[in-house]
Amino acid sequence: MSRHLLTPSFLIFSLFILGGMIFKSTAPVQCGTILPNDSIFVLTGDERRIPFAIQKMHEFPNADLYIIGAGAQGKIDVARPAIIESKSKSTYQNALAIREIALTRDLKRLVIITTEDHMPRAKYLVQSELPSTKIIACPAILTSMPPSKRLERWTTEYIKYIVTMIGIKES
Protein backbone atom coordinates (compact mmCIF):
# COMPACT_ATOMS: atom_id res chain seq x y z
CA MET A 1 0.00 0.00 0.00
CA SER A 2 1.27 3.43 -0.88
CA ARG A 3 2.52 5.68 1.91
CA HIS A 4 0.38 8.40 0.34
CA LEU A 5 -2.81 6.55 1.35
CA LEU A 6 -1.74 6.38 4.99
CA THR A 7 -1.98 10.09 5.63
CA PRO A 8 -3.35 11.17 9.03
CA SER A 9 -6.56 12.44 7.45
CA PHE A 10 -7.12 9.11 5.66
CA LEU A 11 -6.54 7.20 8.89
CA ILE A 12 -8.92 9.47 10.82
CA PHE A 13 -11.55 9.14 8.09
CA SER A 14 -11.13 5.34 8.06
CA LEU A 15 -11.47 5.16 11.85
CA PHE A 16 -14.56 7.37 11.68
CA ILE A 17 -16.18 5.07 9.09
CA LEU A 18 -15.21 1.93 11.04
CA GLY A 19 -16.55 3.46 14.26
CA GLY A 20 -19.81 4.36 12.50
CA MET A 21 -20.22 0.80 11.31
CA ILE A 22 -19.64 -0.49 14.84
CA PHE A 23 -22.03 2.15 16.25
CA LYS A 24 -24.79 1.06 13.87
CA SER A 25 -24.20 -2.67 14.31
CA THR A 26 -24.22 -2.54 18.12
CA ALA A 27 -27.36 -0.41 18.48
CA PRO A 28 -30.32 -2.44 19.78
CA VAL A 29 -32.86 -3.39 17.12
CA GLN A 30 -35.45 -5.04 19.33
CA CYS A 31 -37.04 -4.27 22.63
CA GLY A 32 -35.53 -5.74 25.76
CA THR A 33 -37.74 -7.62 28.18
CA ILE A 34 -40.43 -5.40 29.63
CA LEU A 35 -41.92 -6.53 32.92
CA PRO A 36 -45.64 -5.96 33.63
CA ASN A 37 -45.07 -3.19 36.20
CA ASP A 38 -42.12 -1.44 34.55
CA SER A 39 -41.88 2.30 34.12
CA ILE A 40 -41.67 3.24 30.44
CA PHE A 41 -40.03 6.52 29.46
CA VAL A 42 -40.54 7.68 25.89
CA LEU A 43 -38.33 10.47 24.60
CA THR A 44 -40.11 12.79 22.20
CA GLY A 45 -38.58 14.22 19.05
CA ASP A 46 -39.60 11.75 16.35
CA GLU A 47 -43.16 10.99 15.30
CA ARG A 48 -42.57 7.22 15.66
CA ARG A 49 -41.81 7.24 19.38
CA ILE A 50 -45.13 8.04 21.07
CA PRO A 51 -47.24 5.71 18.87
CA PHE A 52 -44.67 2.96 19.52
CA ALA A 53 -44.90 3.63 23.28
CA ILE A 54 -48.69 3.52 23.15
CA GLN A 55 -48.46 0.14 21.41
CA LYS A 56 -46.23 -1.07 24.26
CA MET A 57 -48.77 0.25 26.77
CA HIS A 58 -51.42 -1.96 25.18
CA GLU A 59 -49.07 -4.93 25.66
CA PHE A 60 -48.21 -3.88 29.24
CA PRO A 61 -51.29 -2.08 30.62
CA ASN A 62 -49.93 -2.00 34.19
CA ALA A 63 -46.73 -0.20 33.21
CA ASP A 64 -46.38 3.48 34.03
CA LEU A 65 -45.80 5.76 31.03
CA TYR A 66 -43.69 8.89 31.20
CA ILE A 67 -43.45 11.11 28.12
CA ILE A 68 -40.29 13.16 28.32
CA GLY A 69 -39.31 16.21 26.27
CA ALA A 70 -40.39 19.33 24.47
CA GLY A 71 -42.60 17.42 22.04
CA ALA A 72 -44.78 16.14 24.88
CA GLN A 73 -47.86 18.31 24.98
CA GLY A 74 -51.57 17.86 25.33
CA LYS A 75 -53.54 14.73 26.14
CA ILE A 76 -52.08 11.39 25.13
CA ASP A 77 -54.65 8.66 24.53
CA VAL A 78 -53.51 5.59 26.47
CA ALA A 79 -55.31 3.13 28.72
CA ARG A 80 -53.73 4.70 31.81
CA PRO A 81 -52.77 8.31 32.39
CA ALA A 82 -49.32 9.29 31.19
CA ILE A 83 -47.05 11.59 33.14
CA ILE A 84 -45.80 14.30 30.80
CA GLU A 85 -42.59 16.26 31.32
CA SER A 86 -42.30 19.00 28.70
CA LYS A 87 -39.48 21.23 29.97
CA SER A 88 -36.46 19.28 28.73
CA LYS A 89 -35.32 20.27 25.26
CA SER A 90 -32.33 17.99 24.63
CA THR A 91 -31.40 14.38 25.21
CA TYR A 92 -29.20 15.37 28.14
CA GLN A 93 -32.05 17.37 29.68
CA ASN A 94 -34.29 14.31 29.08
CA ALA A 95 -31.77 12.23 31.07
CA LEU A 96 -31.83 14.76 33.91
CA ALA A 97 -35.65 14.76 33.94
CA ILE A 98 -35.68 10.94 33.99
CA ARG A 99 -33.15 10.99 36.82
CA GLU A 100 -35.35 13.31 38.88
CA ILE A 101 -38.43 11.12 38.33
CA ALA A 102 -36.54 7.88 38.99
CA LEU A 103 -35.03 9.17 42.23
CA THR A 104 -38.32 10.66 43.44
CA ARG A 105 -40.19 7.41 42.74
CA ASP A 106 -37.30 5.14 43.78
CA LEU A 107 -37.22 3.37 40.41
CA LYS A 108 -34.54 0.69 40.12
CA ARG A 109 -35.46 -0.37 36.59
CA LEU A 110 -36.82 1.59 33.66
CA VAL A 111 -37.52 1.17 29.97
CA ILE A 112 -36.36 3.80 27.48
CA ILE A 113 -38.21 4.19 24.18
CA THR A 114 -36.62 6.24 21.45
CA THR A 115 -35.67 5.57 17.84
CA GLU A 116 -32.98 3.00 17.11
CA ASP A 117 -30.49 5.61 15.87
CA HIS A 118 -30.95 7.73 19.01
CA MET A 119 -30.90 4.84 21.51
CA PRO A 120 -27.13 4.47 22.10
CA ARG A 121 -26.68 8.10 23.14
CA ALA A 122 -29.96 8.30 25.06
CA LYS A 123 -29.20 5.12 26.98
CA TYR A 124 -25.64 6.26 27.69
CA LEU A 125 -26.84 9.61 29.08
CA VAL A 126 -29.58 8.09 31.23
CA GLN A 127 -27.23 5.39 32.52
CA SER A 128 -24.60 8.02 33.38
CA GLU A 129 -27.21 9.88 35.47
CA LEU A 130 -28.56 6.69 37.07
CA PRO A 131 -25.59 4.29 37.26
CA SER A 132 -27.27 1.82 39.64
CA THR A 133 -30.55 1.68 37.70
CA LYS A 134 -31.26 -1.10 35.20
CA ILE A 135 -31.99 0.52 31.82
CA ILE A 136 -33.93 -1.54 29.26
CA ALA A 137 -33.67 -0.32 25.65
CA CYS A 138 -36.80 -0.51 23.54
CA PRO A 139 -36.06 1.09 20.17
CA ALA A 140 -38.65 2.27 17.70
CA ILE A 141 -37.31 1.07 14.36
CA LEU A 142 -36.90 3.57 11.54
CA THR A 143 -39.31 2.48 8.84
CA SER A 144 -40.68 4.02 5.67
CA MET A 145 -37.62 6.19 5.26
CA PRO A 146 -35.41 6.57 2.17
CA PRO A 147 -31.92 5.10 2.66
CA SER A 148 -30.28 8.53 2.24
CA LYS A 149 -32.37 10.01 5.06
CA ARG A 150 -31.66 7.00 7.26
CA LEU A 151 -27.91 7.35 6.61
CA GLU A 152 -28.11 11.05 7.44
CA ARG A 153 -29.88 10.33 10.76
CA TRP A 154 -27.43 7.58 11.74
CA THR A 155 -24.44 9.79 10.88
CA THR A 156 -25.83 12.70 12.89
CA GLU A 157 -26.48 10.48 15.92
CA TYR A 158 -23.03 8.90 15.60
CA ILE A 159 -21.39 12.34 15.64
CA LYS A 160 -23.52 13.39 18.63
CA TYR A 161 -22.53 10.15 20.38
CA ILE A 162 -18.83 10.87 19.82
CA VAL A 163 -19.28 14.41 21.14
CA THR A 164 -21.11 13.05 24.19
CA MET A 165 -18.39 10.48 24.84
CA ILE A 166 -15.75 13.23 24.96
CA GLY A 167 -17.79 15.00 27.63
CA ILE A 168 -20.05 17.47 25.82
CA LYS A 169 -23.48 16.32 26.93
CA GLU A 170 -25.55 19.18 25.46
CA SER A 171 -25.18 18.37 21.78
Side-chain angles (χ1 to χ4, degrees):
M1 185 175 271
S2 167
R3 292 181 132 231
H4 183 68
L5 287 178
L6 297 176
T7 64
S9 56
F10 176 78
L11 290 174
I12 291 169
F13 177 74
S14 298
L15 289 173
F16 178 79
I17 296 298
L18 179 62
M21 292 166 53
I22 293 168
F23 176 76
K24 168 90 170 72
S25 68
T26 58
V29 293
Q30 63 186 37
C31 195
T33 302
I34 298 177
L35 301 177
N37 292 318
D38 269 338
S39 296
I40 298 174
F41 290 80
V42 58
L43 307 182
T44 60
D46 181 276
E47 67 274 1
R48 292 166 192 79
R49 297 174 188 173
I50 291 176
F52 182 76
I54 291 170
Q55 173 192 345
K56 290 297 174 191
M57 291 305 294
H58 291 299
E59 295 174 35
F60 301 94
N62 292 327
D64 290 322
L65 178 62
Y66 300 85
I67 300 175
I68 306 296
Q73 298 175 5
K75 185 176 185 311
I76 307 296
D77 185 26
V78 291
R80 292 181 58 185
I83 296 165
I84 299 175
E85 182 283 330
S86 59
K87 294 178 186 169
S88 59
K89 307 225 182 303
S90 70
T91 305
Y92 178 60
Q93 290 174 14
N94 292 163
L96 294 175
I98 292 169
R99 178 182 182 274
E100 183 177 321
I101 293 166
L103 292 176
T104 300
R105 297 179 184 244
D106 196 31
L107 302 176
K108 303 295 182 211
R109 177 186 159 89
L110 51 95
V111 177
I112 299 292
I113 292 179
T114 189
T115 47
E116 62 181 317
D117 58 332
H118 185 241
M119 185 60 75
R121 186 167 61 97
K123 186 176 177 188
Y124 174 82
L125 286 168
V126 172
Q127 192 71 74
S128 70
E129 293 301 319
L130 295 164
S132 61
T133 302
K134 176 78 173 166
I135 310 295
I136 308 302
C138 189
I141 304 302
L142 298 172
T143 57
S144 305
M145 183 180 291
S148 60
K149 181 67 176 166
R150 192 175 296 199
L151 178 62
E152 177 186 326
R153 284 181 59 130
W154 276 100
T155 302
T156 300
E157 284 301 329
Y158 174 51
I159 291 168
K160 287 179 176 183
Y161 185 77
I162 291 170
V163 169
T164 300
M165 295 300 288
I166 61 172
I168 303 170
K169 294 180 178 181
E170 283 284 0
S171 58

